[in-house]
Amino acid sequence: MLARKNILAPNRAHSQYPIPLLLLSAIVTIIAAQRDYTTPVPILKQINRHNEDGSYSYGYEAADGTFKIETKYPNGEVQGKYGYVDDGGKLREIEYGASNRGFEPQ
């Protein structure tokens, strides 16, 4: 008859590291991972309007100078622009549109 092995019992032969060292390692890993997060940027203005005819306008302006505004008209055309401040401190703006001809960067 085969002896049953208790799989829930600790196996001292496989336990190379003491529990406090493993716990310390886990805490250090968690702390290191938390440093990778950036600080949230406050939203100064926001619009989010959806109409029954399918048109909409949405956008935001953030405290760091980034923004986006987009409008879809009842005929399906879309116009929008967004912007950000580059590493040199210059505001960059990109305008775009979409119609039955497709996406149209401007």
Side-chain angles (χ1 to χ4, degrees), residues 41-45 60-68:
V41 177
I43 302 298
L44 304 176
K45 297 177 186 176
Y60 67 88
E61 181 181 344
D64 65 356
T66 59
F67 68 91
K68 177 176 174 113

Side-chain angles (χ1 to χ4, degrees), residues 31-81:
I31 291 171
Q34 288 178 346
R35 284 189 277 148
D36 293 339
Y37 293 107
T38 59
T39 304
V41 177
I43 302 298
L44 304 176
K45 297 177 186 176
Q46 185 173 4
I47 183 172
N48 190 10
R49 188 170 296 138
H50 295 266
N51 304 310
E52 290 183 18
D53 61 5
S55 63
Y56 63 79
S57 291
Y58 78 90
Y60 67 88
E61 181 181 344
D64 65 356
T66 59
F67 68 91
K68 177 176 174 113
I69 182 77
E70 181 175 292
T71 300
K72 178 182 174 192
Y73 299 99
N75 66 0
E77 290 187 5
V78 176
Q79 292 289 323
K81 69 178 179 176

